[in-house]
Amino acid sequence: MTEFTIYLRTGFHHIAAVGAWDHILFVAALTAAYGPREWKRIAVLVTAFTIGHSLTLALATFNLVHASSRVVEPLIAATIIVTALAAIRDQLVPATEAAAHAARIRRYATAGIFGLVHGLGFAGALRALLGGEESITIPLLGFNLGLEFGQLAVVSISFTLGLVAERWLGLRRRTWVLILSGAAGVIGLVLLVDRLRSAAGA
């Protein structure tokens, strides 16, 4: 197995593994309101998140930006809560064209800005793996591409669950978004409290 493949798989598992709840919940809450037919808007969201986390991932990996995990990890949990609350709010606001347009713009901005925060979290994991690597260019590229494949896997699973909820369980899209976002927000709050306690005790 090549070095590139190793880091590609590592990046994929870092975001798509069962234990990666923070990144999974964020991506799920961010894209919950969209169906498979809205793939263009989803592509913009994914691209915005990619640009954000790729930037800080690269800067932090090259030691140009430094952030303590005691700060980054609670912030990542906070991004889940904010994103989930925004998704819930969008479903409760009257569905006017102006409101829908404003919600889309806000999601794009949120994906990019919060992607910066998640990139710092990814960087912590990548730096721990690099060890004595002579060059970090290949590991960085492989890890970053792995993250993208993992992100697409999360979006695909979220879509599949949404379709099942709508077609087999008879739920409206609005109801599904409220359920998924509500669950993400609650779990995000639990993660935030736990990480703040850990940071305070460190």
Side-chain angles (χ1 to χ4, degrees):
M1 186 178 295
T2 65
E3 178 186 48
F4 177 82
T5 304
I6 291 173
Y7 282 95
L8 180 72
R9 293 181 60 181
T10 302
F12 178 87
H13 288 297
H14 186 70
I15 194 173
V18 175
W21 293 113
D22 45 6
H23 306 305
I24 290 174
L25 290 171
F26 174 77
V27 173
L30 184 67
T31 59
Y34 295 111
R37 294 182 180 179
E38 298 174 285
W39 63 269
K40 290 183 179 180
R41 291 172 179 168
I42 296 164
V44 174
L45 273 178
V46 171
T47 300
F49 183 61
T50 297
I51 291 172
H53 77 64
S54 296
L55 177 61
T56 48
L57 176 60
L59 292 176
T61 303
F62 284 104
N63 291 315
L64 297 176
V65 172
H66 301 276
S68 170
S69 62
R70 288 185 294 176
V71 175
V72 173
E73 293 304 318
L75 281 177
I76 290 175
T79 66
I80 300 169
I81 299 171
V82 173
T83 303
L85 290 175
I88 292 172
R89 176 188 176 277
D90 291 342
Q91 299 304 311
L92 300 179
V93 171
T96 63
E97 182 60 32
H101 178 72
R104 287 194 295 271
I105 298 300
R106 190 193 65 249
R107 289 190 195 109
Y108 300 151
T110 296
I113 295 171
F114 287 175
L116 296 172
V117 178
H118 283 251
L120 292 173
F122 295 145
L126 180 57
R127 279 200 303 268
L129 294 170
L130 287 174
E133 296 283 0
E134 295 182 1
S135 173
I136 63 174
T137 303
I138 295 301
L140 177 62
L141 177 61
F143 189 82
N144 202 46
L145 287 176
L147 290 175
E148 299 320 305
F149 290 135
Q151 182 176 305
L152 292 174
V154 172
V155 172
S156 299
I157 292 171
S158 179
F159 283 160
T160 300
L161 292 175
L163 289 174
V164 170
E166 287 185 88
R167 298 182 181 181
W168 291 1
L169 301 181
L171 297 180
R172 296 170 55 194
R173 166 64 60 171
R174 179 176 182 271
T175 303
W176 165 247
V177 175
L178 291 174
I179 292 173
L180 178 60
S181 300
V186 170
I187 298 173
L189 180 59
V190 172
L191 290 174
L192 176 60
V193 172
D194 180 66
R195 292 175 180 184
L196 287 175
R197 286 177 177 172
S198 297

